[in-house]
Amino acid sequence: MMVLEHKPAALKSLALPGDVQVAIVSRDARALQKVRERNKQLGGYELRFFAEATNPKAPVVNKEVFAPDPRALAVLEGVRIAQEDLRRSGGAYDLDQVRTLLRGISRQAVDKRLQEGSLLAVPGPSNHRSFPTLQFNADGTVVEGLKSVREALPTDNPWTMLNFLAQPDDRLGGRKPIDLLKEGKVELVVEAARRMAQQGA
């Protein structure tokens, strides 16, 4: 494709092979009409005129329509914060590691604990379940009170539960709920979770 802009003088003496097509393009439809009127000698030819409505250099795909809106960005930021909570609180075990910690219990037993809320798992890489290490005591047992805390929170979202457990809470004097659970202060943490639910209502 060759583009000749403006009124190149070479156009007058341009020798064109028989199989070449010439297109007349303009941003102004009136200019195209003038071409028709001033070149009556071209009346025997089939002429096609194209009005250039947009910038030819503009991209065909508008990238702006693919940009996530503020709500979508907030969801993404929430996931990033949750993942950072997980990293700061010690990461997570995979299923086999949890089974080892819990003295070789079956996968079904792990599933049962997850369903009843006495064990916490978040979606991990490739959507495999990952079990935050913060819910385990130093001897490998699971911290007491997770089920009660989950029931008191306003949502079953595991990332929300992780965030609640891992972040210092003003309702608990700036302490992390998980630390109080490990000290056996389950009721204090459950009450803080209830108040969180009430404030969110």
Side-chain angles (χ1 to χ4, degrees):
M1 178 179 179
M2 179 175 67
V3 177
L4 300 177
E5 297 182 350
H6 308 299
K7 297 180 179 178
L11 190 60
K12 294 180 180 179
S13 58
L14 193 63
L16 300 174
D19 60 346
V20 169
Q21 294 182 347
V22 176
I24 300 176
V25 181
S26 175
R27 293 184 177 88
D28 186 351
R30 289 175 299 180
L32 297 178
Q33 185 61 33
K34 288 180 182 178
V35 171
R36 285 182 186 273
E37 294 171 356
R38 294 178 184 176
N39 295 276
K40 304 289 187 183
Q41 75 277 15
L42 298 177
Y45 294 88
E46 181 183 356
L47 299 180
R48 296 180 183 178
F49 294 83
F50 302 91
E52 187 178 70
T54 58
N55 182 355
K57 296 181 181 179
V60 175
V61 177
N62 182 358
K63 294 181 180 179
E64 292 181 5
V65 304
F66 293 93
D69 64 14
R71 180 182 174 280
L73 289 174
V75 171
L76 182 62
E77 184 60 19
V79 173
R80 288 178 178 154
I81 291 171
Q83 291 176 347
E84 182 62 16
D85 288 340
L86 183 63
R87 185 189 69 79
R88 289 182 178 179
S89 62
Y93 294 121
D94 62 25
L95 176 60
D96 289 336
Q97 291 169 325
V98 166
R99 291 181 62 205
T100 299
L101 278 174
L102 300 179
R103 311 298 186 264
I105 68 172
S106 67
R107 290 171 183 259
Q108 291 79 8
V110 172
D111 287 340
K112 182 179 179 181
R113 291 194 179 198
L114 286 172
Q115 290 172 5
E116 68 184 16
S118 61
L119 192 62
L120 173 65
V122 295
S126 301
N127 213 32
H128 290 186
R129 292 179 301 189
S130 296
F131 301 81
T133 61
L134 86 171
Q135 66 189 308
F136 295 93
N137 293 306
D139 61 358
T141 59
V142 181
V143 171
E144 292 293 329
L146 291 179
K147 180 179 179 181
S148 298
V149 171
R150 185 176 121 174
E151 291 172 348
L153 285 172
T155 175
D156 289 337
N157 186 302
W159 289 113
T160 301
M161 174 113 174
L162 174 65
N163 179 267
F164 173 74
L165 293 173
Q167 292 291 332
D169 195 318
D170 291 339
R171 292 168 291 239
L172 298 171
R175 298 193 63 191
K176 296 178 182 178
I178 190 62
D179 292 338
L180 291 173
L181 287 181
K182 289 180 178 179
E183 293 173 6
K185 300 175 180 177
V186 176
E187 282 306 315
L188 283 176
V189 177
V190 170
E191 181 57 30
R194 286 192 187 121
R195 280 187 277 159
M196 177 182 174
Q198 291 168 357
Q199 291 170 358

Coordinates of all heavy atoms in Angstrom, one line a residue, residues 25-64:
V25 N -9.2 9.3 -0.4 CA -9.6 9.4 1.0 C -9.5 10.8 1.5 O -8.5 11.5 1.2 CB -8.7 8.4 1.8 CG1 -9.1 8.4 3.3 CG2 -8.7 7.0 1.3
S26 N -10.5 11.2 2.2 CA -10.5 12.6 2.8 C -11.2 12.6 4.1 O -12.2 11.8 4.3 CB -11.1 13.6 1.9 OG -11.1 14.8 2.5
R27 N -10.8 13.4 5.1 CA -11.5 13.6 6.3 C -12.7 14.5 6.1 O -13.6 14.6 7.0 CB -10.6 14.3 7.3 CG -9.4 13.4 7.8 CD -8.6 14.2 8.9 NE -7.5 13.3 9.4 CZ -6.3 13.3 8.9 NH1 -6.0 14.0 7.8 NH2 -5.4 12.5 9.4
D28 N -12.8 15.1 4.9 CA -13.9 16.1 4.6 C -14.7 15.5 3.5 O -14.2 15.5 2.3 CB -13.3 17.5 4.3 CG -14.4 18.5 4.1 OD1 -15.6 18.1 4.1 OD2 -14.1 19.7 4.0
A29 N -16.0 15.2 3.7 CA -16.8 14.6 2.7 C -17.1 15.6 1.6 O -17.2 15.3 0.4 CB -18.2 14.2 3.3
R30 N -17.1 16.9 1.9 CA -17.3 18.0 0.9 C -16.1 18.0 -0.1 O -16.3 18.3 -1.3 CB -17.4 19.3 1.5 CG -18.7 19.5 2.3 CD -18.8 20.8 3.0 NE -17.7 20.9 4.0 CZ -17.5 21.9 4.8 NH1 -18.3 23.0 4.7 NH2 -16.6 21.9 5.7
A31 N -14.9 17.7 0.4 CA -13.7 17.7 -0.5 C -13.9 16.6 -1.6 O -13.5 16.8 -2.7 CB -12.5 17.5 0.3
L32 N -14.5 15.5 -1.2 CA -14.7 14.4 -2.1 C -15.7 14.8 -3.2 O -15.5 14.4 -4.3 CB -15.2 13.1 -1.3 CG -14.2 12.6 -0.3 CD1 -14.8 11.4 0.4 CD2 -12.9 12.2 -1.0
Q33 N -16.7 15.5 -2.8 CA -17.7 16.0 -3.8 C -17.0 16.9 -4.8 O -17.3 16.9 -6.0 CB -18.8 16.7 -3.0 CG -20.0 17.1 -4.0 CD -20.6 15.9 -4.7 OE1 -20.7 14.8 -4.1 NE2 -21.0 16.1 -5.9
K34 N -16.1 17.8 -4.3 CA -15.4 18.7 -5.2 C -14.6 17.9 -6.2 O -14.4 18.3 -7.4 CB -14.5 19.6 -4.4 CG -15.3 20.7 -3.7 CD -14.4 21.6 -2.9 CE -15.2 22.6 -2.1 NZ -14.3 23.5 -1.3
V35 N -14.0 16.8 -5.8 CA -13.2 15.9 -6.7 C -14.1 15.4 -7.8 O -13.7 15.4 -9.0 CB -12.5 14.8 -5.9 CG1 -11.9 13.8 -6.9 CG2 -11.5 15.3 -5.0
R36 N -15.3 15.0 -7.4 CA -16.2 14.5 -8.4 C -16.6 15.6 -9.5 O -16.6 15.4 -10.7 CB -17.5 14.1 -7.7 CG -17.5 12.8 -7.0 CD -18.9 12.5 -6.4 NE -18.9 11.3 -5.6 CZ -19.1 10.1 -6.0 NH1 -19.2 9.8 -7.3 NH2 -19.1 9.1 -5.1
E37 N -16.8 16.8 -9.0 CA -17.3 17.9 -9.8 C -16.2 18.4 -10.8 O -16.4 18.8 -11.9 CB -17.8 19.0 -9.0 CG -19.1 18.7 -8.2 CD -19.5 19.7 -7.2 OE1 -18.7 20.7 -7.1 OE2 -20.6 19.6 -6.6
R38 N -14.9 18.4 -10.3 CA -13.8 19.0 -11.0 C -13.2 18.0 -12.0 O -12.3 18.4 -12.8 CB -12.8 19.6 -10.1 CG -13.3 20.7 -9.3 CD -12.2 21.2 -8.3 NE -12.7 22.3 -7.4 CZ -12.0 22.8 -6.4 NH1 -10.8 22.4 -6.2 NH2 -12.6 23.8 -5.7
N39 N -13.6 16.8 -11.9 CA -12.9 15.8 -12.7 C -14.0 15.0 -13.5 O -14.1 13.8 -13.4 CB -12.1 14.8 -11.9 CG -10.9 15.5 -11.2 OD1 -9.8 15.7 -11.8 ND2 -11.1 15.9 -10.0
K40 N -14.7 15.8 -14.3 CA -15.8 15.2 -15.1 C -15.3 14.1 -16.1 O -16.0 13.2 -16.4 CB -16.5 16.2 -15.9 CG -17.1 17.4 -15.1 CD -18.3 17.0 -14.2 CE -18.9 18.2 -13.6 NZ -20.0 17.8 -12.7
Q41 N -14.0 14.3 -16.5 CA -13.4 13.3 -17.4 C -13.3 11.9 -16.9 O -13.1 10.9 -17.6 CB -12.1 13.8 -17.9 CG -10.9 13.6 -16.9 CD -10.8 14.7 -15.9 OE1 -11.8 15.5 -15.7 NE2 -9.7 14.8 -15.2
L42 N -13.5 11.8 -15.5 CA -13.4 10.4 -14.9 C -14.8 9.8 -14.8 O -14.9 8.8 -14.2 CB -12.8 10.6 -13.5 CG -11.4 11.1 -13.4 CD1 -11.0 11.2 -12.0 CD2 -10.4 10.2 -14.2
G43 N -15.7 10.4 -15.5 CA -17.1 9.9 -15.4 C -17.3 8.5 -15.9 O -18.2 7.8 -15.5
G44 N -16.4 8.1 -16.8 CA -16.6 6.7 -17.4 C -16.0 5.7 -16.5 O -16.1 4.5 -16.8
Y45 N -15.3 6.1 -15.4 CA -14.7 5.1 -14.5 C -15.6 4.9 -13.3 O -16.3 5.8 -12.9 CB -13.3 5.6 -14.1 CG -12.3 5.7 -15.3 CD1 -12.2 6.9 -16.0 CD2 -11.5 4.6 -15.6 CE1 -11.4 7.0 -17.1 CE2 -10.6 4.7 -16.6 CZ -10.5 5.9 -17.4 OH -9.6 6.0 -18.4
E46 N -15.4 3.7 -12.7 CA -16.1 3.5 -11.5 C -15.2 4.0 -10.3 O -14.1 3.6 -10.1 CB -16.3 2.0 -11.2 CG -17.0 1.6 -9.9 CD -17.1 0.1 -9.7 OE1 -16.7 -0.6 -10.6 OE2 -17.6 -0.2 -8.6
L47 N -15.8 5.0 -9.7 CA -15.0 5.7 -8.6 C -15.6 5.4 -7.3 O -16.9 5.4 -7.1 CB -15.0 7.2 -8.8 CG -14.4 7.7 -10.1 CD1 -14.5 9.3 -10.2 CD2 -12.9 7.3 -10.2
R48 N -14.8 5.1 -6.3 CA -15.3 4.9 -4.9 C -14.5 5.9 -4.0 O -13.3 6.1 -4.1 CB -14.9 3.5 -4.4 CG -15.7 2.4 -5.2 CD -15.3 1.1 -4.7 NE -16.0 0.0 -5.5 CZ -15.8 -1.3 -5.3 NH1 -15.0 -1.7 -4.4 NH2 -16.4 -2.2 -6.1
F49 N -15.3 6.6 -3.2 CA -14.8 7.7 -2.4 C -14.9 7.2 -0.9 O -16.0 6.7 -0.5 CB -15.5 9.0 -2.6 CG -15.3 9.6 -3.9 CD1 -16.0 9.1 -5.0 CD2 -14.3 10.5 -4.1 CE1 -15.8 9.7 -6.3 CE2 -14.1 11.1 -5.4 CZ -14.8 10.6 -6.5
F50 N -13.9 7.4 -0.1 CA -13.9 7.0 1.3 C -13.6 8.2 2.2 O -12.6 8.9 2.0 CB -12.8 6.0 1.6 CG -12.9 4.7 0.7 CD1 -12.3 4.7 -0.5 CD2 -13.7 3.6 1.1 CE1 -12.4 3.5 -1.3 CE2 -13.8 2.5 0.3 CZ -13.1 2.5 -0.9
A51 N -14.5 8.5 3.1 CA -14.3 9.5 4.1 C -13.6 9.0 5.3 O -14.1 8.0 5.8 CB -15.7 10.1 4.5
E52 N -12.5 9.6 5.6 CA -11.7 9.1 6.7 C -12.3 9.6 8.0 O -12.1 10.8 8.4 CB -10.3 9.5 6.6 CG -9.3 8.9 7.6 CD -7.9 9.3 7.4 OE1 -7.6 10.5 7.6 OE2 -7.1 8.5 7.0
A53 N -13.0 8.8 8.8 CA -13.7 9.3 10.0 C -12.8 9.4 11.2 O -13.1 10.1 12.1 CB -14.9 8.4 10.3
T54 N -11.8 8.6 11.2 CA -11.0 8.5 12.4 C -9.5 8.6 12.0 O -9.1 8.5 10.8 CB -11.2 7.2 13.2 OG1 -10.9 6.1 12.3 CG2 -12.6 7.1 13.7
N55 N -8.7 8.9 13.0 CA -7.3 8.9 12.8 C -6.7 7.6 12.3 O -6.9 6.6 13.0 CB -6.6 9.3 14.1 CG -5.1 9.5 13.9 OD1 -4.5 9.2 12.9 ND2 -4.4 10.0 15.0
P56 N -6.1 7.5 11.1 CA -5.6 6.2 10.6 C -4.6 5.6 11.5 O -4.3 4.4 11.5 CB -5.1 6.5 9.2 CG -4.8 8.0 9.3 CD -5.8 8.6 10.2
K57 N -3.9 6.4 12.3 CA -2.9 5.9 13.1 C -3.4 5.4 14.5 O -2.7 4.9 15.3 CB -1.8 7.0 13.3 CG -1.1 7.3 12.0 CD 0.0 8.4 12.3 CE 0.7 8.8 10.9 NZ 1.7 9.8 11.1
A58 N -4.7 5.7 14.7 CA -5.3 5.3 16.0 C -5.4 3.8 16.1 O -5.7 3.2 15.1 CB -6.6 6.0 16.2
P59 N -5.2 3.2 17.3 CA -5.3 1.8 17.4 C -6.7 1.3 17.1 O -7.7 2.0 17.5 CB -4.9 1.5 18.8 CG -5.1 2.8 19.6 CD -4.8 3.9 18.5
V60 N -6.8 0.1 16.5 CA -8.1 -0.4 16.2 C -8.9 -0.8 17.5 O -10.1 -0.6 17.7 CB -8.0 -1.7 15.3 CG1 -9.4 -2.4 15.1 CG2 -7.4 -1.3 14.0
V61 N -8.1 -1.3 18.5 CA -8.7 -1.7 19.8 C -8.5 -0.6 20.8 O -7.4 -0.2 21.0 CB -8.1 -3.0 20.3 CG1 -8.6 -3.4 21.7 CG2 -8.3 -4.2 19.3
N62 N -9.6 -0.2 21.5 CA -9.5 0.8 22.5 C -9.1 0.1 23.8 O -9.9 -0.5 24.5 CB -10.9 1.5 22.6 CG -10.8 2.6 23.7 OD1 -9.8 2.9 24.3 ND2 -12.0 3.3 23.8
K63 N -7.9 0.3 24.2 CA -7.4 -0.3 25.4 C -8.1 0.1 26.7 O -8.2 -0.6 27.7 CB -5.9 -0.1 25.6 CG -5.1 -0.8 24.5 CD -3.6 -0.6 24.7 CE -2.8 -1.3 23.6 NZ -1.4 -1.0 23.7
E64 N -8.7 1.3 26.7 CA -9.3 1.9 27.9 C -10.5 1.0 28.3 O -10.8 1.0 29.5 CB -9.7 3.3 27.6 CG -8.6 4.3 27.5 CD -9.0 5.7 27.2 OE1 -10.2 6.0 27.3 OE2 -8.2 6.6 27.0

